[in-house]
Structure formats: C-alpha cells, structure tokens
C-alpha cells in the first residue's frame, strides 16, 4: 500500500508538504496558543475582574480562530489537489495496463474484475489518500501532543488517560485485523455483480427473446444477497470499534472529573488548570474517535491496493521479449507466415504449422468452420497475439515482440463483431478529428453502401449512433464497420467475417469496391460463405487449426475435400459460374 501511494504521489510532494504544514499549523495554533489563552482569560481576567485583560484575551482568541480557519481552508484545498492528481495518475496507469494486455490475458483476468479494480478499488485508494493527508498524519501527532501537554500539567490524569488509550488501541487493532479477509471476499463479490450487470446490459435482447428475465433477476438477486451477507460479516466486527471507543472514553471523562474534583478540594490544582485539562481531553477524545474510522478503512485499503498492484504488475501469460523493430524500408503490405504455432495459456495448440503468403495487390481469403483458427491468425498477424513458435514477416521484417506504432499503421481492421460507439457516423468512421479526410469518408460511405442508410436521415453523416449501434439493424451496423475499414489509408486491409450480415446484392457491391478501391493493397478476407471468397486470388482453407488446402476456387474444388464439403453444403453443386 505504501509503495503504491508513494509511487503515484510523485509530482505532488510540494502540495503534500503544504498540506502537512498547514495541518500542523492549524492544530499547533489550537493546542499551544488558543487553549492556553482561555486559561489566561480565566486567571488574569475573570478571577481578577480585569476587563482590559478579558478584552485582550478575546481579541487574541478571535485572531487565533481566524488563523485556524484559514489554515483549515488551505489544508482542504491542497489535500483535494493532491488527491485528484494521485487518482488521475493511478487510474491512468491501470487503464494503460489494461490497454497493454493481450486478448488472451484480458480474457483470463475478466472484464468485471478489470472494471472493479480500475474504478472501485482506485476510488478506495483516493479516499485513503485524502484521509491520510487530513487524518492519518494528523491524528497520531495530535494524540501525542495532547498527552504531552496533559503530562506537563497533571501526571495522575495523564496515566489514567494513557491507560484507557492503550486498551482502546488494542481493541481497534484486533477488530481491524480480523475483518480484512471479509473485505477481500467482498471485493470478489463486487466483481461478480459487475459481470452480471454487464451481461444483462449487453445481452438484453437475447434475454428477452428467450424469456429469461426471471432467471437473470434470480442470478442478480443471489449475487446481491451473497455480497450483502459478506458485507454484513465483514462489517460486523469493525462496527464495534466506534461504540467501544466511545464507551471507554466516556468512562475516562467520568474518572477524570472525579480525580479533578478531589484535587481541587485538596488544593492540588486550580479550576482554570482543570478546565484546560478538560479541553485537552476533549480534543484527545475527538482525535481518538477518528481512529475507528481509519482502522475501518485499513483492511479495505489493503485489499484494494493488493488488487491494483496485481493488475499493474501482471505478467503476460506468454513470455515475450518485447523489442523495438525498425519499420520496413519499402512498404508494400506483403505478409508471410512461417511454420507458426500458437496456443493459449494452459491449452493445446489452437493453430499449428501455418505457412502461407499474402501478396500485395491481391485478395487472400480464409474460409473454414467456426473455431478453426481464422481470427486467431488475423490477431497474430497484427501483433495482438505472439506466436509460440515460428515467425511472421511484414514486408520481410519479423514482427515477433514488436509493439511499435508502425505495425498498427499498417493495418485497417474490420472486427468480426461490429464495434459501434455512441457518437456521430463521422466520428465512428474516423474517431480522430485531426485525421478526418472528407473525401476518404465520403468514398468509404459509398464503398460500404452505408450512404443508403443515411438517405432518410436529415443529419446525414452527423447522425448520432446509439451505443452498440442499437438504433440501426445488424446489417447496417456491419456496413458502418466496413466504412471504417475503407476510410483508413493502410497497406493491409483485414475483413474478419465483416460481410456475414449483408444481403447478396450489398455483398457484391462491397466485394466490387474491395477490388477497385483497394487495388494495389493487400486484402485478407475471412468469410463463411463460398460466394464471398470464390473470386479471391488465393484461398486458404482452415480445419481444426490446420491448413487443409490452399489455392484458387477451381483448384480447391479438385484438391481439397474440406473445401468441397463446404461448397456442397452451401448448395453450390452444379451452379458454378452462375
């Protein structure tokens, strides 16, 4: 926890120092000047019936109170600035780490826990930092100073107060330590709730279509009940802290009153002295009552810091030696796979012995059954996965371990599932306003046939898409995804089954656009339908993670049994050439 706080407070140490300085000044004024002045008010003013002394003390106390108020405002300002900067750095680091995760690592960790760690756990650390600046650094100092001041005035009362204080701290430490495991389980329950909420929001249509509302509600209710019971169990012990501390400190006040009264009767102390001691005791009890709150936060903070550190220090499941790779001198877009083998962590090889070449200026298509490894090959090609064995070359340059920006610039990628953002059509096609080229965007609308969708939209290209593109049909979402691919100026264009939801007429138009608009570029086209790939220059047939055959449509009909079975299944037998 300390390492996590110290690392991301860098750059704010000046403001941290200012926060501590004004905090110490605030309570220094109260303890060493304001409270003693009240004693002088009684001794020199009230007892002597000296109005000049009374007014002098009043003005001094008013000035000191104003100083305390100013220090409190400055403390709040600087602590808020420090906390905001700290939260920004920590959450940004978590977000960057999530962006760096490979798809298999992202899947292994899970979206729900990544969301909880980036949001809820970071918020817990934010609360910890601001309370650390305002209370954690202050309360121990306050308690020690108040005990010292009381000891200099009355040792008997000091030992009474110190004894009760030691007992209270013992209870606080015990209850705080015993509740840590419960709070760790609670964060895991929150991960589960976030996962269920995400599933219900993103899967609302199939849930309704299959009439599973009651089942989903029951799952959510069980998850919430489980989290509720865990929260009750975790908080049960720690909620005793405040009542125990309050009862003990109340007994302290009673005992001090009895001892103080006895001392006054015996002439061992004065009324003003005893009143000052009571004021110190009041400050002491106020400071001590903040301790249960701080102890309550400790187990939660320890759990959150551990979870954040696990994310920030997460090591990829595949050990890759990342390196800087020089971009090819001549950018053509030639892709070459050499005996590539890849398997997810803890799983058998997903693909093996993959060797092929995608030439620049040609359309290379991949076809095969679901789960045959087509998308995995595309992810390997773009450096999203790293091959277990073998090598992948882009224009003769090996991209193993490459994370350089030039590799991203090489590709324009259409995902298997259309990713539509809640923004205008223009910004969905080209998210970066600085890179928006009106001519290319208009051309992309024509190539993807999405202009037809905008025909009845008064806003045109500035039509606002809903999240996930729920305000258009599935085929129209896919057209918008295709427009995004066409709009980028890249060397390699990848279509990962992005034509599957199109009707035959629209599909033909898009395929014609691929041939004409992307002439001279490398195109990789993944599809399930023979009609989509039959005119490709080179077709790769995938079966169970292996290449079952390569060649043109005519060649594969003669040489590849897997391709012929797909062809016959799709009722193309005796219809070739139609």
């Amino acid at each position: 926890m300390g390492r996590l706080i110290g690392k991301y407070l860098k750059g704010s140490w000046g403001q941290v120092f200012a926060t501590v300085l004004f905090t110490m000044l605030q309570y220094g004024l109260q303890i060493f000047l304001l409270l003693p002045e009240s004693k002088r008010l009684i001794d020199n003013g009230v007892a002597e019936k000296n109005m000049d002394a009374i007014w002098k003390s009043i003005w001094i106390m008013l000035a000191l109170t104003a100083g305390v108020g100013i220090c409190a405002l400055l403390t709040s300002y600087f602590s808020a600035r420090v906390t905001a900067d700290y939260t920004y750095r920590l959450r940004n680091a978590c977000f960057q780490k999530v962006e760096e995760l490979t798809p298999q690592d992202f899947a292994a960790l899970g979206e729900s826990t990544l969301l909880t760690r980036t949001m809820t756990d970071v918020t817990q650390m934010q609360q910890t930092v601001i309370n650390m600046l305002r209370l954690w650094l202050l309360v121990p100092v306050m308690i020690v100073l108040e005990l010292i001041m009381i000891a200099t005035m009355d040792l008997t009362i000091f030992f009474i107060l110190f004894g009760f204080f030691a007992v209270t701290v013992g209870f606080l430490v015990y209850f705080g330590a015993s509740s840590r495991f419960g709070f760790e389980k609670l964060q895991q329950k929150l991960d589960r709730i976030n996962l269920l909420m995400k599933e219900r929001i993103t899967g609302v249509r199939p849930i309704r279509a299959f009439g599973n509302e009651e089942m989903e509600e029951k799952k959510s209710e069980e998850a919430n009940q489980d989290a509720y019971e865990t929260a009750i169990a975790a908080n049960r012990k720690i909620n005793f802290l405040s009542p125990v501390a309050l009862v003990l400190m109340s007994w302290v006040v009673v005992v001090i009153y009895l001892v103080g009264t006895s001392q006054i009767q015996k002439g061992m102390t004065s009324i003003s002295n005893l009143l000052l001691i009571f004021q110190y005791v009041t400050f002491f009890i106020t400071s001590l009552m903040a301790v249960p709150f701080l102890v309550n936060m400790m187990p939660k903070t320890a759990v959150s810091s551990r979870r954040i550190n696990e994310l920030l220090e997460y090591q990829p499941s595949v050990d890759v030696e990342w390196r800087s790779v020089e971009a090819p001198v001549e950018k053509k877009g030639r892709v070459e796979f050499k005996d590539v083998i890849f398997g997810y962590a803890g799983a058998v090889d997903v693909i093996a012995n993959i060797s092929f070449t995608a030439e620049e200026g040609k359309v290379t298509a991949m076809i095969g059954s679901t789960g045959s490894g087509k998308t995995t090959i595309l992810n390997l090609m773009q450096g999203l996965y790293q091959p277990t064995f073998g090598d992948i070359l882009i224009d003769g340059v090996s991209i193993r371990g490459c994370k350089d920006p030039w590799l991203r610039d090489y590709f324009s990628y259409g995902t298997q599932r259309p990713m539509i953002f809640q923004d205008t059509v223009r910004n969905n096609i080209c998210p970066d306003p600085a890179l928006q080229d009106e001519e290319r965007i208009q051309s992309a609308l024509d190539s993807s046939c999405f202009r037809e969708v905008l025909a009845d939209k008064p806003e045109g290209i500035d039509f606002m898409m809903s999240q996930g593109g729920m305000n258009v049909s599935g085929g129209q979402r896919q057209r918008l995804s295709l427009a995004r691919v066409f709009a980028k100026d890249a060397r390699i264009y990848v279509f990962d089954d992005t034509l599957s939801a199109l009707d035959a007429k629209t599909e033909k138009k898009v395929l014609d656009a691929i041939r004409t608009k992307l002439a001279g570029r490398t195109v990789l086209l993944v599809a399930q339908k023979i009609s989509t790939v039959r005119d490709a220059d080179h077709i790769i047939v995938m079966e169970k993670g292996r290449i079952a055959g390569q060649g043109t449509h005519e060649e594969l009909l003669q040489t590849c049994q897997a391709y012929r079975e797909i062809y016959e299944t799709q009722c193309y037998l005796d219809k070739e050439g139609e």
Side-chain angles (χ1 to χ4, degrees):
M1 180 178 68
R3 180 164 54 91
L4 191 65
I5 292 175
K7 180 178 180 181
Y8 292 98
L9 276 179
K10 287 181 179 178
S12 299
W13 289 118
Q15 296 181 75
V16 171
F17 175 77
T19 302
V20 175
L21 175 65
F22 285 112
T23 300
M24 295 301 180
L25 184 59
Q26 172 189 347
Y27 287 97
L29 290 173
Q30 287 179 296
I31 293 173
F32 296 113
L33 296 178
L34 188 58
L35 295 183
E37 187 61 35
S38 65
K39 182 180 183 300
R40 284 190 288 272
L41 174 66
I42 296 173
D43 290 340
N44 301 333
V46 177
E48 301 293 333
K49 298 180 180 180
N50 186 343
M51 290 302 298
D52 291 337
I54 291 175
W55 279 109
K56 180 181 178 181
S57 294
I58 289 174
W59 286 113
I60 291 174
M61 293 174 71
L62 286 173
L64 290 172
T65 303
V68 169
I70 292 171
C71 290
L73 288 174
L74 291 172
T75 298
S76 298
Y77 171 77
F78 285 113
S79 62
R81 286 290 302 270
V82 170
T83 307
D85 290 343
Y86 171 82
T87 306
Y88 164 77
R89 295 189 190 103
L90 182 57
R91 184 163 283 138
N92 190 50
C94 291
F95 185 74
Q96 288 180 349
K97 183 65 178 182
V98 171
E99 283 190 316
E100 294 172 1
L101 295 175
T102 62
Q104 60 264 48
D105 292 325
F106 190 88
L109 287 169
E111 296 178 13
S112 58
T113 187
L114 291 174
L115 180 63
T116 306
R117 295 181 195 217
T118 306
M119 301 302 296
T120 307
D121 289 325
V122 171
T123 299
Q124 179 63 47
M125 295 302 299
Q126 176 185 9
Q127 295 173 355
T128 298
V129 169
I130 196 165
N131 283 291
M132 178 188 72
L133 294 173
R134 294 182 180 180
L135 294 176
W136 287 16
L137 297 176
L138 172 67
V139 169
V141 174
M142 285 287 295
I143 289 175
V144 171
L145 289 177
E146 288 154 3
L147 286 173
I148 291 173
M149 295 299 291
I150 293 172
T152 58
M153 299 176 67
D154 195 312
L155 282 176
T156 303
I157 294 178
F158 165 76
F159 284 117
I160 293 171
L161 195 61
F162 185 79
F164 275 93
F165 170 68
V167 174
T168 303
V169 170
F171 275 108
L172 297 179
V173 172
Y174 169 74
F175 286 129
S178 61
S179 63
R180 176 173 176 174
F181 178 71
F183 285 112
E184 187 167 353
K185 289 181 64 179
L186 178 59
Q187 292 300 97
Q188 295 171 357
K189 306 299 182 185
L190 292 177
D191 289 346
R192 171 66 176 166
I193 291 174
N194 280 335
L195 176 62
L196 291 175
M197 284 298 298
K198 175 183 174 296
E199 289 178 347
R200 291 190 68 182
I201 292 172
T202 57
V204 61
R205 289 189 174 184
I207 289 172
R208 290 176 179 174
F210 285 92
N212 286 341
E213 292 94 339
E214 291 186 7
M215 184 186 72
E216 292 297 326
E217 288 175 6
K218 184 178 179 181
K219 286 166 61 177
S220 297
E221 184 179 349
E222 290 174 352
N224 278 295
Q225 182 66 26
D226 195 13
Y228 165 77
E229 293 174 356
T230 304
I232 291 296
N235 283 284
R236 183 175 291 119
K237 288 183 178 180
I238 210 162
N239 284 340
F240 280 103
L241 295 178
S242 293
V244 167
L246 182 61
V247 169
L248 289 174
M249 289 300 102
S250 297
W251 278 103
V252 166
V253 173
V254 172
V255 173
I256 290 176
Y257 268 115
L258 292 173
V259 172
T261 303
S262 175
Q263 289 180 340
I264 290 175
Q265 291 175 346
K266 296 178 181 179
M268 298 172 61
T269 187
S270 64
I271 293 178
S272 62
N273 205 45
L274 187 59
L275 287 174
L276 182 57
I277 290 175
F278 279 139
Q279 286 181 305
Y280 282 130
V281 170
T282 301
F283 266 83
F284 177 83
I285 294 175
T286 303
S287 302
L288 192 61
M289 290 309 296
V291 175
F293 170 73
L294 299 178
V295 174
N296 190 354
M297 289 189 65
M298 285 297 295
K300 299 177 183 178
T301 302
V303 171
S304 293
S305 64
R306 180 188 60 77
R307 286 162 55 88
I308 293 172
N309 276 318
E310 284 179 357
L311 172 60
L312 295 177
E313 297 172 1
Y314 180 82
Q315 296 299 319
S317 55
V318 179
D319 187 15
V320 180
E321 184 179 348
W322 298 107
R323 61 194 179 93
S324 180
V325 179
E326 290 291 334
V329 177
E330 188 177 0
K331 295 183 178 181
K332 295 182 177 180
R334 187 174 187 271
V335 180
E336 186 177 2
F337 274 62
K338 291 185 175 181
D339 300 318
V340 172
I341 298 175
F342 171 78
Y344 298 107
V348 296
D349 294 336
V350 176
I351 61 172
N353 305 323
I354 303 298
S355 295
F356 70 88
T357 301
E359 299 288 351
E360 63 273 17
K362 294 185 177 181
V363 177
T364 301
M366 275 186 280
I367 191 170
S369 59
T370 302
S372 59
K374 304 184 296 298
T375 299
T376 301
I377 290 175
L378 299 183
N379 287 330
L380 285 164
M381 182 192 309
Q382 298 172 87
L384 301 177
Y385 295 166
Q386 295 297 315
T388 309
F389 298 102
D391 205 357
I392 303 171
L393 307 178
I394 303 291
D395 285 336
V397 176
S398 172
I399 63 169
R400 175 182 284 274
C402 175
K403 296 180 71 175
D404 298 287
W406 68 261
L407 183 59
R408 299 272 73 79
D409 294 337
Y410 246 86
F411 291 93
S412 183
Y413 180 45
T415 56
Q416 193 170 25
R417 178 184 176 186
M419 299 297 296
I420 309 301
F421 303 97
Q422 188 173 358
D423 207 337
T424 63
V425 170
R426 182 191 304 276
N427 291 338
N428 265 282
I429 294 175
C430 185
D432 188 352
L435 300 178
Q436 288 179 357
D437 184 323
E438 191 65 27
E439 184 178 347
R440 291 195 67 87
I441 290 177
Q442 295 298 330
S443 176
L445 289 173
D446 293 329
S447 300
S448 64
C449 300
F450 194 76
R451 189 180 296 281
E452 301 170 8
V453 181
L454 299 177
D456 60 345
K457 304 288 191 297
E459 305 92 335
I461 197 172
D462 293 316
F463 174 70
M464 181 64 68
M465 301 295 297
S466 65
Q467 185 177 9
M470 291 296 105
N471 55 345
V472 295
S473 69
Q476 291 171 341
R477 288 195 293 271
Q478 204 163 70
R479 294 190 201 186
L480 182 54
S481 180
L482 285 165
R484 186 184 298 146
V485 181
F486 281 109
K488 182 178 179 180
D489 184 14
R491 295 307 310 174
I492 304 172
Y493 289 82
V494 180
F495 298 87
D496 186 5
D497 206 13
T498 46
L499 283 71
S500 59
L502 303 182
D503 60 88
K505 182 179 178 181
T506 304
E507 180 186 60
K508 186 178 185 305
K509 289 181 180 179
V510 173
L511 289 173
D512 290 341
I514 289 175
R515 282 288 186 184
T516 57
K517 300 291 182 65
L518 302 183
R521 306 299 172 95
T522 304
V523 176
L524 286 108
L525 181 63
V526 169
Q528 302 285 346
K529 297 183 293 185
I530 293 288
S531 62
T532 307
V533 305
R534 63 182 299 162
D535 294 327
D537 300 302
H538 186 71
I539 303 173
I540 301 169
V541 184
M542 296 296 299
E543 187 176 31
K544 297 180 180 179
R546 309 300 192 268
I547 293 180
Q550 299 187 60
T552 63
H553 171 70
E554 291 76 12
E555 291 171 349
L556 290 170
L557 283 177
Q558 300 298 321
T559 62
C560 182
Q561 177 65 26
Y563 187 80
R564 192 160 51 248
E565 289 176 356
I566 297 173
Y567 180 82
E568 294 172 353
T569 301
Q570 296 181 10
C571 303
Y572 281 92
L573 189 61
D574 298 328
K575 294 184 180 181
E576 186 175 353
E578 294 183 8

